[in-house]
Amino acid sequence: MRALALLLLAPLLLAQNRPPNQPVLVPDVSQRDIRIIYSFTGAELLLFGAILHPGGRIPDKPADIIVVLKGPTESIVVREKRKIAGIWMNAASARFRSAPGFYAVASSRPIGEIIDERTAAIYELGVGNLQLSAADAGSLAQTKRFENGLVDLRQRNGLYVEQPDAVEITDGALYRVHIAIPARVPVGDYTAETFLVQDGRVLAGAVREIAIRKSGFERFVAMAAERWSFLYGVVSIALALLLGWAAGSLFRRV
């Protein structure tokens, strides 16, 4: 009901603030607060909204929609393993200042058919256009190799996703797309960005914020590890020793 009311009232609420001759996006999400509990196996997020065209006139040539869900940004060190003297060891590394822990982009058509490479790079549309901000002063080729390695690793873990032809646009005015949230998604603050594109130009954009948090016992454990790290370590070691002793005693009796 809330979503339906938003779509019905949006033209009246934004009519006076709308820029002249420019469309406006009115986005929303099915959940703005996702809780992770012990049984969390992933979630599916619905991103939807309305396109308000000037004068309510839908253009003859339909526009495209690109939706980006990303966050939280983190500093990360990527290490490369090599076999040295028969032993696998960390041989080289690179640090990136702003790598999103999760990144998903969905579009009404393949991004390469909607905008050119320069525009895609400016708005970071597409996994290949992420600005990871390398902190090490390595060569360009080395930095690119580590970037590709990080992206490939997170794609295989389902944390970096591209969904072309996934955004459904109805009557040139309403859009919707489902984005899967994997079980291994990092907790933190996320942004859902929506872009309206026509003739290769970004005409409008809008952002909604989403929070993914741990809940219940998982939240207690995470808070304990962060706030009382020393005590958390002592308890973890003691618990491991206790469980090891109990398992050994049980097997000796059997």
Side-chain angles (χ1 to χ4, degrees):
M1 293 298 294
R2 181 172 63 91
L4 179 60
L6 172 66
L7 296 179
L8 293 176
L9 296 177
L12 298 177
L13 296 175
L14 298 179
Q16 295 181 349
N17 298 327
R18 195 168 44 179
N21 302 323
Q22 288 293 334
V24 174
L25 287 171
V26 186
D28 206 352
V29 293
S30 57
Q31 287 181 265
R32 297 197 183 186
D33 190 11
I34 299 176
R35 296 288 177 174
I36 297 178
I37 58 176
Y38 73 95
S39 59
F40 182 77
T41 58
E44 188 173 70
L45 194 64
L46 172 64
L47 297 94
F48 60 95
I51 307 171
L52 306 183
H53 296 281
R57 299 175 183 175
I58 299 176
D60 296 333
K61 185 178 180 180
D64 287 290
I65 290 288
I66 302 175
V67 176
V68 175
L69 176 64
K70 64 180 178 179
T73 300
E74 59 184 354
S75 177
I76 186 172
V77 176
V78 181
R79 293 182 172 86
E80 180 184 45
K81 288 188 176 181
R82 294 180 184 174
K83 199 170 186 180
I84 302 175
I87 302 175
W88 287 99
M89 303 177 61
N90 293 327
S93 65
R95 185 166 65 90
F96 299 97
R97 297 191 187 95
S98 57
F102 178 80
Y103 177 91
V105 56
S107 52
S108 52
R109 289 188 294 152
I111 292 178
E113 300 178 7
I114 299 175
I115 53 177
D116 57 34
E117 294 182 1
R118 179 176 177 274
T119 305
I122 292 174
Y123 290 94
E124 294 187 78
L125 301 177
V127 172
N129 293 310
L130 286 174
Q131 306 297 323
L132 302 178
S133 301
D136 299 328
S139 66
L140 181 61
Q142 181 179 359
T143 300
K144 192 64 178 177
R145 181 162 56 87
F146 277 98
E147 284 183 357
N148 293 338
L150 173 61
V151 169
D152 178 68
L153 178 62
R154 293 197 165 176
Q155 281 182 316
R156 285 189 279 116
N157 289 331
L159 297 176
Y160 284 4
V161 182
E162 291 187 343
Q163 299 178 223
D165 301 312
V167 179
E168 177 185 349
I169 302 177
T170 305
D171 298 328
L174 303 176
Y175 69 89
R176 56 182 289 155
V177 61
H178 292 270
I179 294 181
I181 306 297
R184 299 178 62 179
V185 66
V187 298
D189 297 323
Y190 288 68
T191 58
E193 301 174 287
T194 306
F195 301 93
L196 179 67
V197 184
Q198 190 170 40
D199 296 327
R201 294 173 52 242
V202 177
L203 300 182
V207 180
R208 287 292 180 267
E209 296 181 354
I210 300 170
I212 298 181
R213 299 280 184 261
K214 289 185 177 180
S215 182
F217 181 72
E218 283 73 15
R219 182 171 181 269
F220 169 76
V221 172
M223 290 178 58
E226 181 179 352
R227 297 183 180 179
W228 308 292
S229 56
F230 177 76
L231 181 60
Y232 174 82
V234 172
V235 172
S236 298
I237 294 173
L239 184 60
L241 292 174
L242 177 62
L243 292 176
W245 173 82
S249 299
L250 179 62
F251 280 110
R252 279 196 299 269
R253 292 180 181 180
V254 174

